Amino acid sequence: MVEGPLHGYHHETYVVRLPRAAAGAEQVRWKCREPRPGLLWFDRRCFASEEQLLRALAGRIEGIPDLVPELAGTATPGLQRFIEGSTLGTLYGSGGEIPFALFGQIVSLFEQLARVKANSLDVGRTCKSADRPAEGDTTGFLERLILFTERDVYQRNMHDFKVLFYGLGLDGDSFGKLRGHVSGLTARPFCLLHADLHRENFVVDAKARLWTIDWELAMFGDPLYDLATHLYLMRYPAEQERRMTEQWCDAVESVTPGSSAGWEADLPKLLAYKRAQSVFTDVIRTALSLEEGRRTADGSPLVEAGDRIRKVLDAAAEPLEIAVPAPESVTAALADWLDERLRCP
């Protein structure tokens, strides 16, 4: 009667239908998750427990998973309700337009997030107070994101990926160049951010209600960063991206004036950071996928992996100030890295 493990990078997830007495009046399915051991983390984290955060947001944010009633208010992490339905990605693939009714619910979510301020939420934090940017310090907020990518993604994995990084022209100078491209942000009042609003984290139920799942990357910070991450991950058609930006501005300004200040100049900078961040994330993940046995005798997975890496390098060439290697050079860098891994398991 247990389903799983379900597909997911960060957790091993199982779904179970509890007896009615434990599940409440309505018998529904619940999910239990355990972090996968030995994972590489590519994003900065803020909250100690996703379940604690969901508990605190109940009644303040619509369309989020609730918890098993008997466990609410205890130290037990608890079980999240499994949201029945289909993800936006399943219904409307990357690059496709989102129907008006669902689009409006995403805008409403941004408005609700803008209402949640750091001093209004009593939830355990993983970051120390000294490591949190001052209220409205958008430059300090972005610097901490860049520093995480530099220190915890690039430098921490240098031992295992040095041959590949250097073969692709990615060195420590890249981050200094990135900082130069994204400097000088406008101050904006902070609020709660989901920080991972893509099509697979939205679930549409049978009544066409939109649910938002996977809150583990949530944080307090610059509201424009949440929009930038959303636009980058959603891949809206151009006209719908323009409408989302326009309606997002109206939504957050209606809650806290100044929340969209300077967006015209700052949104391109935050999108540039997202493109640069993806280089290090995608290079590592793509390389590891090859190591896991997807390379065949004709070398085609190696070529396909090279094509994926060249695309992310090309997208981030300007903020990182890198020369994108030729396709055969990218493939050669991957092959050299694989050979080194075989020699030094």
Side-chain angles (χ1 to χ4, degrees):
M1 302 304 292
V2 176
E3 303 172 38
L6 304 184
H7 174 73
Y9 176 77
H10 295 109
H11 293 86
E12 189 167 280
T13 303
Y14 294 86
V15 178
V16 60
R17 188 182 298 275
L18 296 183
R20 189 177 300 275
E26 180 184 4
Q27 189 176 30
V28 296
R29 294 191 295 170
W30 304 83
K31 65 181 181 182
C32 177
R33 305 198 300 171
E34 180 75 13
R36 295 185 185 276
L39 277 183
L40 300 176
W41 297 96
F42 300 106
D43 297 278
R44 181 178 163 94
R45 275 159 172 69
C46 178
F47 297 107
S49 165
E50 182 184 7
E51 283 74 23
Q52 279 186 18
L53 176 62
L54 290 173
R55 200 172 289 135
L57 293 177
R60 302 182 66 177
I61 303 289
E62 298 174 356
I64 61 175
D66 53 354
L67 305 177
V68 171
E70 279 70 13
L71 296 181
T74 73
T76 307
L79 302 178
Q80 291 186 34
R81 177 175 177 175
F82 182 78
I83 305 302
E84 306 287 353
S86 300
T87 66
L88 270 184
T90 300
L91 299 172
Y92 312 99
S94 181
E97 186 169 297
I98 304 299
F100 176 78
L102 298 176
F103 187 87
Q105 292 181 63
I106 296 175
V107 174
S108 177
L109 171 63
F110 279 124
E111 181 179 342
Q112 294 168 54
L113 287 167
R115 296 184 184 281
V116 182
K117 308 299 183 182
N119 59 5
S120 71
L121 207 60
D122 184 18
V123 180
R125 305 276 289 274
T126 57
C127 56
K128 298 179 181 179
S129 298
D131 191 35
R132 300 172 193 168
E135 166 62 30
D137 180 9
T138 54
T139 296
F141 172 78
L142 182 56
E143 170 57 27
R144 284 161 173 80
L145 295 176
I146 295 173
L147 184 60
F148 182 91
T149 303
E150 180 180 25
R151 182 186 58 201
D152 291 75
V153 180
Y154 179 74
Q155 294 176 358
R156 181 168 291 179
N157 292 291
M158 179 60 72
H159 178 269
D160 293 329
F161 294 92
K162 182 177 181 179
V163 168
L164 184 54
F165 286 153
Y166 285 4
L168 298 174
L170 301 171
D171 56 34
D173 292 341
S174 300
F175 292 94
K177 296 168 183 174
L178 174 62
R179 287 180 171 93
H181 276 275
V182 301
S183 62
L185 298 182
T186 300
R188 284 175 287 274
F190 285 179
C191 66
L192 180 66
L193 320 178
H194 181 283
D196 198 25
L197 291 173
H198 56 77
R199 294 177 190 243
E200 294 305 315
N201 280 344
F202 289 117
V203 178
V204 183
D205 70 11
K207 297 181 180 180
R209 294 176 299 189
L210 196 68
W211 296 77
T212 309
I213 62 173
D214 288 356
W215 289 78
E216 61 193 355
L217 300 186
M219 64 179 78
F220 288 110
D222 182 1
L224 189 61
Y225 176 73
D226 221 10
L227 175 66
T229 302
H230 178 64
L231 296 180
Y232 179 74
L233 296 175
M234 287 289 287
R235 303 290 196 267
Y236 284 116
E239 175 58 22
Q240 196 160 50
E241 178 174 308
R242 185 196 64 78
R243 291 205 309 272
M244 173 55 72
T245 303
E246 181 181 89
Q247 292 185 34
W248 175 87
C249 289
D250 292 341
V252 297
E253 285 292 332
S254 71
V255 175
T256 308
S259 293
S260 67
W263 75 266
E264 298 96 332
D266 289 355
L267 183 57
K269 296 176 182 179
L270 293 171
L271 287 170
Y273 165 69
K274 295 305 297 183
R275 295 195 302 272
Q277 178 195 33
S278 290
V279 166
F280 302 98
T281 300
D282 291 353
V283 164
I284 291 174
R285 284 180 169 172
T286 300
L288 290 177
S289 73
L290 288 173
E291 190 184 28
E292 289 169 1
R294 300 192 184 120
R295 185 180 182 183
T296 60
D298 63 3
S300 57
L302 200 61
V303 174
E304 293 169 4
D307 289 342
R308 290 197 299 273
I309 288 177
R310 281 198 85 246
K311 288 179 181 178
V312 297
L313 289 173
D314 187 62
E318 181 180 359
L320 292 176
E321 294 187 24
I322 54 175
V324 180
E328 58 271 19
S329 298
V330 176
T331 303
L334 281 167
D336 290 344
W337 178 81
L338 279 171
D339 290 341
E340 182 190 54
R341 299 285 280 190
L342 289 173
R343 291 195 304 269
C344 306

